[in-house]
């Protein structure tokens, strides 16, 4: 799960500055406020610094950054954004107060993809890096306070209805269809193969999705 989160963080950090790590709010901002609490306990300055250190110094990681601009990767993102289940999940988050369209369109601008339109009703530290994609993931994950994240996650589930309801959305048949669609997508499978070749433990993501969310992940990890 953390490896997936690190990957999403890297794409967003590459797209544009992360606005001082403020989670974008819309409407009531209820879900954004809950997610902001997670952002506040992460050492994001250090994580961004490591990201740019890898971009400047690591040849293997530079190849990954270059791959993000290839037609194959852009096709994968377009395929995902075209799935009704993905758009429905984005609409759900938007209605709950997290401006997910703002985040997605930041990445789309960086990739040169068409921006999505939300529903009309919403309006310098030098680090010693390990090297390689595997090293980047390890170096960033080493900064994450796992116990604090887990404790905050459990607290939110128990005390925040908007957060608990959002987590429940990730356990629905609609989200299962998103997973099934990804696993049958040729662009995604090509990306998986590259990640596995780089030493990324993609099987750990599969295991977590099945254990925590009760999803079946038919990808050949």
């Amino acid at each position: 799960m953390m490896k997936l989160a690190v990957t999403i963080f890297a794409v967003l950090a590459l797209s544009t500055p992360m606005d001082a790590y403020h989670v974008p709010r819309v409407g009531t901002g209820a879900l954004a406020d809950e997610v902001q609490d997670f952002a506040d306990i992460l050492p994001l300055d250090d994580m961004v610094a490591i990201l740019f250190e890898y971009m400047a110094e690591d040849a293997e990681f530079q190849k990954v950054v270059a791959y993000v601009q290839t037609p194959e990767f852009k096709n994968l993102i377009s395929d995902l954004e075209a799935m009704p289940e993905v758009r429905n999940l984005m609409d759900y988050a938007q209605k709950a107060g997290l401006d997910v369209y703002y985040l997605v369109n930041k990445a789309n601008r960086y990739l040169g993809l068409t921006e999505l339109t939300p529903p009309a009703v919403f309006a310098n530290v030098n680090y010693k890096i390990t090297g390689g994609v595997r090293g980047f993931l390890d170096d960033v994950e080493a900064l994450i306070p796992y116990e604090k994240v887990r404790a905050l996650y459990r607290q939110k589930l128990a005390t925040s209805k908007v957060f608990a309801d959002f987590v429940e959305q990730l356990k629905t048949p609609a989200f299962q269809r998103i997973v099934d669609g990804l696993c049958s997508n040729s662009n995604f499978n090509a990306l998986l193969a590259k990640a596995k070749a780089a030493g990324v433990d993609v099987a750990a993501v599969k295991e977590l999705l099945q254990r925590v969310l009760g999803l079946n992940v038919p990808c050949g990890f």
Side-chain angles (χ1 to χ4, degrees):
M1 179 64 153
M2 286 299 175
K3 289 179 176 60
L4 180 59
V6 166
T7 301
I8 294 171
F9 157 78
V11 172
L12 285 172
L14 283 170
S15 62
T16 55
M18 298 182 72
D19 298 327
Y21 317 124
H22 293 153
V23 176
R25 305 169 85 257
V26 67
T28 66
L31 182 56
D33 291 342
E34 303 297 340
V35 176
Q36 183 68 54
D37 288 340
F38 288 93
D40 289 343
I41 66 173
L42 295 174
L44 292 175
D45 282 330
D46 294 335
M47 293 167 73
V48 169
I50 284 181
L51 171 67
F52 285 102
E53 192 84 8
Y54 269 86
M55 289 177 63
E57 297 188 10
D58 190 82
E60 181 183 328
F61 192 78
Q62 288 164 2
K63 291 179 181 177
V64 172
V65 174
Y67 178 71
V68 168
Q69 288 288 352
T70 62
E72 291 82 5
F73 186 81
K74 293 180 182 182
N75 288 340
L76 169 61
I77 299 302
S78 294
D79 290 344
L80 272 175
E81 292 178 353
M83 292 180 66
E85 293 83 2
V86 171
R87 294 299 293 269
N88 288 340
L89 182 62
M90 290 173 59
D91 289 350
Y92 180 90
Q94 196 86 0
K95 291 176 182 176
L98 171 61
D99 194 352
V100 67
Y101 279 87
Y102 170 78
L103 294 173
V104 169
N105 283 331
K106 283 179 67 174
N108 280 4
R109 284 193 294 273
Y110 174 76
L111 295 172
L113 298 175
T114 302
E115 295 187 29
L116 303 182
T117 302
V121 294
F122 306 123
N124 302 347
V125 177
N126 291 324
Y127 290 86
K128 185 179 184 303
I129 62 177
T130 304
V133 176
R134 173 72 267 163
F136 168 71
L137 294 172
D138 289 341
D139 289 346
V140 172
E141 287 183 67
L143 298 171
I144 297 174
Y146 283 95
E147 289 307 316
K148 287 184 179 180
V149 172
R150 293 189 185 104
L152 183 59
Y153 177 80
R154 291 191 292 267
Q155 175 192 334
K156 294 295 183 185
L157 284 181
T159 63
S160 171
K161 184 177 187 303
V162 67
F163 185 81
D165 287 349
F166 179 71
V167 171
E168 284 302 312
Q169 287 294 310
L170 305 182
K171 302 179 182 181
T172 63
F175 194 76
Q176 177 67 59
R177 289 193 293 273
I178 294 175
V179 175
D180 293 343
L182 266 180
C183 288
S184 63
N185 185 283
S186 59
N187 291 311
F188 181 67
N189 281 294
L191 183 61
L192 275 184
K194 290 177 183 289
K196 290 171 68 176
V200 177
D201 188 6
V202 292
V205 179
K206 174 178 180 177
E207 189 275 335
L208 183 131
L209 288 173
Q210 294 186 147
R211 176 170 53 83
V212 176
L213 299 180
L215 297 168
N216 174 42
V217 182
C219 304
F221 286 20

